């Protein structure tokens, strides 16, 4: 995920320009799927960070599960739903 917000903003504007120029969709029609993709990417980014943190803190006695992610305020993503 890009480190600074300016880079993200440039990519989003470029994607919006591409959709505006190469499709007959109105901005209100493509905003929902685009915002959905942004949310999914954000959720995956937060999940990956929590996964790295939990991997260092796990013990052999107990497996890391859904509740461990939820305790950190992170949406748990099953294997098939990850980015």
């Amino acid at each position: 995920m890009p480190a600074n917000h300016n880079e993200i903003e440039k990519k989003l504007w470029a994607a919006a320009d591409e959709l505006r120029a190469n499709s007959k969709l109105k901005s209100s029609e493509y905003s929902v799927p685009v915002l959905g993709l942004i949310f999914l990417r954000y959720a995956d980014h937060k999940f990956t960070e929590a996964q790295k943190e939990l991997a260092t803190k796990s013990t052999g006695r107990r497996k890391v599960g859904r509740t461990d992610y939820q305790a950190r305020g992170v949406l748990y993503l099953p294997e098939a739903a990850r980015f």
Side-chain angles (χ1 to χ4, degrees), residues 26-71:
K26 298 177 202 167
S27 60
S28 61
E29 294 173 331
Y30 64 76
S31 66
V32 174
V34 169
L35 291 175
L37 289 172
I38 292 168
F39 170 76
L40 291 175
R41 181 63 179 119
Y42 174 77
D44 181 71
H45 176 70
K46 295 304 267 184
F47 177 83
T48 303
E49 285 181 353
Q51 189 177 34
K52 288 176 188 174
E53 181 183 331
L54 288 170
T56 61
K57 295 183 179 185
S58 67
T59 63
R61 304 180 92 187
R62 183 175 144 326
K63 287 188 173 184
V64 174
R66 178 183 302 260
T67 55
D68 297 305
Y69 290 96
Q70 291 172 344

